[in-house]
Amino acid sequence: MKAHDGMYIGGMWRPAAGAGTIAVVNPADEQVIAHVPAGSPEDVDAAVRAARDAFPRWAATAPADRAARIAALRDVLAARKDEIAGTVTAELGAPPGLAETVHAGLPVLVAGSYAELAASYAFEETVGNSTVLHEPVGVVGAITPWNYPLHQIVAKAAPALAAGCTVVLKPAEDTPLTAQLFAEAVHESGLPDGVFNLVTGLGPVAGQALAEHPGVDLVSFTGSTAVGRRIGATAGGAVKRVALELGGKSANVILPGADLSRAVKAGIANVMSNSGQTCSAWTRMLVHRDRYEEAVALAAEAVAAYVPGDRLGPLVSARQRDRVRGYIEQGVAEGARLVAGGPESPRGAGYYVSPTVFADVTPEMTIAQEEIFGPVVSLMRYEDEDDALRIANGTVYGLAGAVWGDRDEAVAFARRMETGQVDINGGRFNPLAPFGGYKQSGVGRELGTHGLAEYLHTKSLQF
């Protein structure tokens, strides 16, 4: 696609207030493919004003009509699936198959789910002698990451629109072209002017201006825990609502008696998907000591299938590549056993990192505690289930996880995990189930009815 040189505000593309631009780089070959405007606080203010002006009419629109608008948006996204996939491949580096099925396909599914929810959700209910109303919060400032650029936009914008809120989006500066495609789809679908607005720009400038703006009623942010803390502090000072989906260090617990080969293979695939750039990735594989070395060998065999440039795409930027390499070097320095991969570049051009497997990782090591956000798996041995639970719960994060074994035993173990979502024996992703974390993995939930509720106020009328 050809990049827009303006902002989508009030139903049209407008010139940016400032003259600065952001270069968009293809991480597979390090070539600049486009430039987008670097938004200023003035751009953010214009977008918020447009959203505020549009809010009363959109909030008063019947839920069935909002549902029809979101359904139309879903249909446009579905019709432009190939273009979306190609854009994600170009600016994120996702392999074409992943770009088509996940990056372009999942947002269509999620948008459709909110079209249905907008039509069926109980925005009014009777509780005793009260009528309870669920009303839109107002203007939503959505700040989205680069790792799943369209999915994260839709996971925020679709429920906000379904609730009757209006939206100002500030996408990640690494992947703004997908956000511009979404704005085009919004325009084509016929959403009223000002209901959705887009400002591209840098986080410390446009993102901060959006989080601080007094006209924003709720900030929905997905990204690092460090930035989430700052946004939470800013919003707290203004007594403003936040929804924060932050980091993760998820445990993949393989209980005795599990199908070890299946569990290890699935665990490696989970981390290698999207080149490890997934906050919910099962980056810590916990195996009982009796079968530990067998698991190490299986992991080394499984990871060999992920060839950089083929099944494994690059990381999004030179900054991210260097960060991940630094963690690999630190893992070696702290005494972890390097089973596969390493910090050396596997290709000439592109921000690639070799798929890496560590063994003999202990809970106190940096690579066992901090989110790496790359294709790196740490195998950890445990003595018994209590030890496995201590290791699994032994980080500041609690976003996702997995358990393999006898169904009843796996469910019992999962119930004791301090995390927001657990897959049992390879359970399939459910776009209607709530997604979000415990501890420093965030505040609030996305997807399904729980995701819609984040964008609603509750009022009670007594009779």
Side-chain angles (χ1 to χ4, degrees):
M1 65 167 289
K2 184 180 182 298
H4 291 273
D5 58 4
M7 310 299 186
Y8 185 73
I9 297 175
M12 66 181 69
W13 292 96
R14 301 183 183 181
T21 62
I22 298 170
V24 183
V25 177
N26 184 330
D29 60 16
E30 305 180 40
Q31 298 300 305
V32 175
I33 57 175
H35 289 84
V36 298
S40 66
E42 290 77 15
D43 293 308
V44 171
D45 182 65
V48 173
R49 289 178 183 275
R52 290 231 68 87
D53 289 345
F55 173 67
R57 180 173 295 183
W58 182 246
T61 300
D65 293 336
R66 295 202 298 263
R69 299 282 191 172
I70 297 169
L73 175 58
R74 172 205 59 201
D75 293 344
V76 175
L77 293 174
R80 301 184 69 171
K81 186 176 178 180
D82 290 345
E83 184 182 5
I84 291 167
T87 301
V88 172
T89 293
E91 66 178 353
L92 178 64
L98 181 71
E100 180 180 349
T101 57
V102 176
H103 288 284
L106 180 58
V108 173
L109 188 64
V110 172
S113 74
Y114 280 112
E116 295 177 4
L117 274 173
S120 63
Y121 191 80
F123 289 97
E124 293 190 17
E125 57 182 324
T126 299
V127 179
N129 65 309
S130 301
T131 296
V132 178
L133 309 178
H134 302 285
E135 301 178 333
V137 167
V139 174
V140 172
I143 303 174
T144 56
W146 45 260
N147 60 328
Y148 291 91
L150 184 59
H151 168 64
Q152 293 290 351
I153 291 170
V154 171
K156 298 182 187 304
L161 296 174
C165 297
T166 55
V167 178
V168 178
L169 169 68
K170 205 299 287 184
E173 49 263 37
D174 292 303
T175 54
L177 302 182
T178 305
Q180 289 190 344
L181 267 179
F182 182 78
E184 290 181 1
V186 164
H187 193 82
E188 186 177 341
S189 71
L191 272 173
D193 295 348
V195 169
F196 174 84
N197 308 271
L198 168 67
V199 176
T200 55
L202 301 174
V205 180
Q208 183 172 336
L210 184 59
E212 294 177 346
H213 199 291
V216 171
D217 300 293
L218 181 150
V219 180
S220 181
F221 169 78
T222 297
S224 72
T225 297
V227 176
R229 289 192 194 102
R230 294 199 295 270
I231 289 175
T234 297
V239 196
K240 183 183 301 186
R241 284 176 58 175
V242 295
L244 304 174
E245 198 267 282
L246 308 176
K249 195 68 183 175
S250 301
N252 179 20
V253 182
I254 304 174
L255 297 176
D259 183 334
L260 186 65
S261 178
R262 180 179 172 225
V264 171
K265 185 176 180 180
I268 293 295
N270 174 275
V271 177
M272 295 304 129
S273 178
N274 214 42
S275 303
Q277 299 170 130
T278 303
C279 53
S280 57
W282 310 333
T283 52
R284 296 179 298 145
M285 186 180 296
L286 278 57
V287 185
H288 189 270
R289 63 180 181 181
D290 291 346
R291 303 193 71 185
Y292 184 77
E293 290 302 334
E294 183 182 354
V296 171
L298 287 168
E301 179 183 354
V303 83
Y306 294 88
V307 178
D310 181 16
R311 293 185 67 185
L312 191 73
L315 300 190
V316 72
S317 65
R319 177 186 67 255
Q320 185 65 15
R321 176 201 60 197
D322 294 345
R323 179 177 183 272
V324 172
R325 285 179 179 172
Y327 273 113
I328 295 172
E329 291 170 351
Q330 192 162 8
V332 172
E334 292 182 3
R337 177 175 25 132
L338 190 61
V339 174
E344 296 79 14
S345 176
R347 292 170 63 94
Y351 306 132
Y352 291 93
V353 171
S354 295
T356 298
V357 175
F358 280 109
D360 302 339
V361 177
T362 55
E364 72 278 2
M365 289 182 180
T366 302
I367 59 172
Q369 290 293 322
E370 298 185 11
E371 185 176 43
I372 298 173
F373 226 61
V376 182
V377 181
S378 296
L379 271 74
M380 309 175 71
R381 62 167 57 83
Y382 66 86
E383 298 294 319
D384 53 30
E385 286 196 16
D386 287 340
D387 188 37
L389 186 70
R390 177 185 62 82
I391 295 170
N393 290 340
T395 76
V396 298
Y397 298 110
L399 186 57
V403 185
W404 303 80
D406 172 81
R407 179 185 174 90
D408 291 342
E409 292 178 358
V411 170
F413 189 95
R415 288 180 180 275
R416 295 197 291 162
M417 293 176 73
E418 298 170 352
T419 192
Q421 191 171 77
V422 184
D423 294 349
I424 306 296
N425 291 328
R428 293 182 296 111
F429 176 75
N430 180 2
L432 298 179
F435 179 79
Y438 287 24
K439 301 187 283 187
Q440 293 188 28
S441 284
V443 176
R445 293 295 182 267
E446 292 187 330
L447 304 180
T449 56
H450 295 80
L452 177 58
E454 292 292 332
Y455 300 94
L456 294 168
H457 279 312
T458 301
K459 176 190 294 180
S460 63
L461 309 178
Q462 281 62 248
F463 296 94

